[in-house]
Structure formats: structure tokens, C-alpha cells
Amino acid sequence: MGVLACRQKNSRGTFKPHLAVSFRSEDGKVCTFSVDSTRVPKKQPQPDAYLITHAHSDHHGKSAMLSELSVCADKTAVALEIRHDRKFKGRTVDMCGSIEVNGTTVRTYPTGHTAGAVAFYWENDVGTRILVTGDVKDPSALPKCDLLITEANYGDHDDPSCHFEDDLEGFRSALDSSPQVAFGAYAFGKAQRAVELLREIGHDGPIAMEEKSLILSNRLLDEPGELVGLGEFDEDVVCIVPPWDLGKLPRSMAKYVMTGRQDYYYPSLQISDHLDANGLVDMVEKVDPEMTLVYHPGGDRPGKFASYLNSIGRGAVCLEDVDNILGNENL
Ligand SMILES: [Zn+2]
């Protein structure tokens, strides 16, 4: 396929996050794209780009955003700047756009995982179509590819917790359960999904939000409606705060946590930012790659998902199977 997937080591000899992908561009130059990883020290050879799929911290934009070689969607750059209070130094691209990186045209496709979350797509010198998805909620915009580099957050088919559907009815009932309702949702990702869901089901009143959630939602959502701070409401209101702040709100409020977990004190609403196990398989079938490399998250789910794909006749490996090592200053 003309693609070399590499893991990188840092100076302590441990692996850097995720991977780098080397290939020849259409005009024959050797190119390397680092994917959702931290920066390589300046004295070492740099990749041609640090691709950042989205602004969740386990995709390491906090480090990569400080390189002029970083590339992400414009909304991811905004989210990184707000979350980490530092300037994004790289280049940005539209959610459905393209950007030139040393002679390679890299296209972007939304994955519906968070505001700004995109998959990156490019072709190499022998026409191999490479698609790096990051985390995925909605694969409908993704193009067909030959090499799929993807996630398996819920990729363990044998684990019942990897099979779920969004509980939109439960969310609607929760909203109707009391004049004062609070939803526990992480400030980046879940909180914006909560605002969008509330607007979709017809709640057009103000939504009171914790400060960081409010700033992120106002900057990242195209039509958030009226969002206010927590100090700015008096009576009937819908609130969105991080789960650990629910206890600070008045006792009279009905409270719910938007999570797949069951270990919160408050009732949980299954609203996920991810595909479940069957959804991941459907995504692979849809983009129809010759080979899948599962690169995220840590733990054993990438291996389990790759094995499952093999069992249904689809070639797949996980990051642990990648034994090419790049960028080790000791080599
Ligand atoms: Zn994520």
C-alpha cells in the first residue's frame, strides 16, 4: 500500500501517544504525518504535520497545538485555545475542507464526535486512500478508503457495555420531569451535545451553564440560542454543569448525568459521543478498507476490535502490532 505506520519513542524510551504515518506524496517526496500525538523535540526530525482530530485531551492537541506544523479544524483550534489558555500555532482547515501539506492534499470530513472533530483523508504516490478518523459518532460523511486508521472506544463486542443506543426518550422525559432541571455534562463535547439536543427537542428558553461550558458552547455552536451564566437565572431554568458540580445546585432541581456509566449518585442518561461496537463495524463496512489499523484508545479494546474485524473477514491490526519505531534519538 506504500504506507509505513510507525510508533515514536520519547527520550525516556517509552512510546509517544498514537502513531506516525509515512508515505510518498504524489510527487515522490517521503512525508510523515504524526497522528494525535505529542510534539517531537525541536532537535529531532519533525513530521510534515501534526494532525489533531479533535480537542479531547487524550488526543494530545495540548502539546501539538504549540507546533507550527499542527493541522486541525478551525473549531478544534478554538476549543484547544479555550481549554488550555494558550495560542494555537498551527494551521486550520474547514470541517469539510482541504489543506496542502508539502504537496499532499489532505481533506477533512466531520465525524460528529465533538465540535471540530474531523477525519483526515489523503492519497499517496501509488493511489492508496488513507483515512484517519479519530473518535467517531456519525460516520455518514466519511469517504471510502484503502487504509482505515480508527478508534475502538467501544470496540469490544463481548462486553455488554459496548452495546448501546442513545436514550433520547429518557433525555426528553428528564427535561419534562421538573421546571428546574440540571444535566451533568463535561464542559467540552457533552455540554455542546446537550445544548444541541435541547434545541432539537424544542427547548427554546435560556440555558444556564457553568463558565467554561458557556464559553465553549457560545464559540463552537452555530446556533446555541440564549445561553447564560449560572448566576444569571432566578427560577425555572435548564442548567448544564460538569457532573461534579451538580451537588452545588439547589436541592429542588431534578438532576441527571449524561454518561454511559452507572456509578454516579444521580440518574444517568445514556447519551454517547461515540459509536457502539456494532456502529464501529458498520463504519468499517461503509468505508470498506483493505486494511484497518486501530490506534485508539489505550488498553485492550483496539486489539479486541481488530480481532473481531479479522473474525468477520476484514484485515485489521492494532497499534500494539506496529513494530516500526521512528524518531528515537537513541537509534
Ligand atoms: Zn474524543
Side-chain angles (χ1 to χ4, degrees):
M1 298 178 100
V3 184
L4 185 65
C6 312
R7 300 182 81 180
Q8 298 161 285
K9 282 195 165 177
N10 60 33
S11 52
R12 281 161 293 156
T14 53
F15 283 116
K16 292 173 78 59
H18 298 124
L19 76 162
V21 181
S22 282
F23 58 96
R24 278 185 197 280
S25 64
E26 279 168 359
D27 52 13
K29 284 194 302 244
V30 175
C31 274
T32 301
F33 291 167
S34 174
V35 175
D36 285 339
S37 194
T38 51
R39 279 169 299 141
V40 175
K42 278 230 165 79
K43 56 182 189 308
Q44 289 184 26
Q46 294 290 310
D48 295 271
Y50 292 99
L51 303 180
I52 309 170
T53 58
H54 64 290
H56 273 147
S57 32
D58 55 350
H59 292 258
H60 305 284
K62 182 179 179 181
S63 165
M65 71 185 287
L66 298 179
S67 169
E68 287 160 11
L69 301 169
S70 62
V71 173
C72 68
D74 31 23
K75 284 185 176 181
T76 292
V78 170
L80 288 170
E81 290 195 337
I82 296 170
R83 299 197 73 197
H84 303 301
D85 200 20
R86 39 173 72 166
K87 187 107 189 78
F88 176 80
K89 293 195 177 150
R91 293 192 296 152
T92 62
V93 53
D94 288 344
M95 297 288 293
C96 306
S98 68
I99 188 166
E100 292 294 313
V101 182
N102 286 352
T104 295
T105 303
V106 179
R107 299 186 190 285
T108 50
Y109 298 87
T111 63
H113 170 63
T114 63
V118 291
F120 296 101
Y121 169 99
W122 69 95
E123 292 184 22
N124 68 0
D125 62 330
V126 292
T128 300
R129 301 164 299 173
I130 302 153
L131 180 67
V132 175
T133 66
D135 294 340
V136 185
K137 172 66 172 175
D138 176 5
S140 60
L142 297 179
K144 288 206 183 311
C145 64
D146 302 302
L147 172 62
L148 172 66
I149 301 177
T150 195
E151 57 115 344
N153 277 279
Y154 295 96
D156 181 358
H157 253 253
D158 296 330
D159 181 342
S161 72
C162 289
H163 295 268
F164 52 78
E165 279 180 32
D166 280 349
D167 184 10
L168 297 174
E169 265 320 300
F171 186 76
R172 206 183 295 260
S173 313
L175 179 64
D176 294 338
S177 65
S178 162
Q180 296 186 315
V181 186
F183 295 101
Y186 293 118
F188 174 65
K190 266 304 176 9
Q192 289 78 54
R193 187 171 300 280
V195 172
E196 285 179 327
L197 285 174
L198 285 166
R199 297 311 184 202
E200 268 170 46
I201 63 177
H203 174 76
D204 51 12
I207 300 171
M209 302 183 84
E210 169 272 336
E211 191 183 354
K212 204 94 175 184
S213 314
L214 177 67
I215 296 169
L216 284 162
S217 301
N218 268 328
R219 292 286 307 277
L220 296 174
L221 295 175
D222 293 329
E223 288 178 17
E226 187 187 355
L227 307 180
V228 299
L230 286 178
E232 298 168 47
F233 67 90
D234 32 34
E235 40 191 56
D236 298 353
V237 75
V238 175
C239 285
I240 299 171
V241 299
W244 48 89
D245 281 355
L246 283 170
K248 298 178 190 166
L249 294 171
R251 290 172 74 97
S252 57
M253 295 190 101
K255 295 168 185 170
Y256 303 89
V257 185
M258 293 174 64
T259 177
R261 289 167 43 183
Q262 300 294 332
D263 53 350
Y264 282 98
Y265 174 74
Y266 303 101
S268 60
L269 295 168
Q270 171 71 57
I271 301 284
S272 181
D273 298 327
H274 289 274
L275 292 169
D276 77 343
N278 290 328
L280 287 167
V281 175
D282 291 346
M283 170 183 68
V284 175
E285 304 278 354
K286 177 185 142 48
V287 302
D288 197 22
E290 213 170 290
M291 177 58 70
T292 299
L293 167 54
V294 189
Y295 82 108
H296 179 80
D300 59 5
R301 284 186 173 168
K304 287 184 169 172
F305 185 50
S307 301
Y308 184 82
L309 289 174
N310 286 322
S311 78
I312 59 168
R314 288 207 161 264
V317 293
C318 68
L319 199 53
E320 282 184 2
D321 301 325
V322 173
D323 49 16
N324 311 302
I325 296 172
L326 185 83
N328 182 350
E329 62 195 8
N330 302 316
L331 289 177

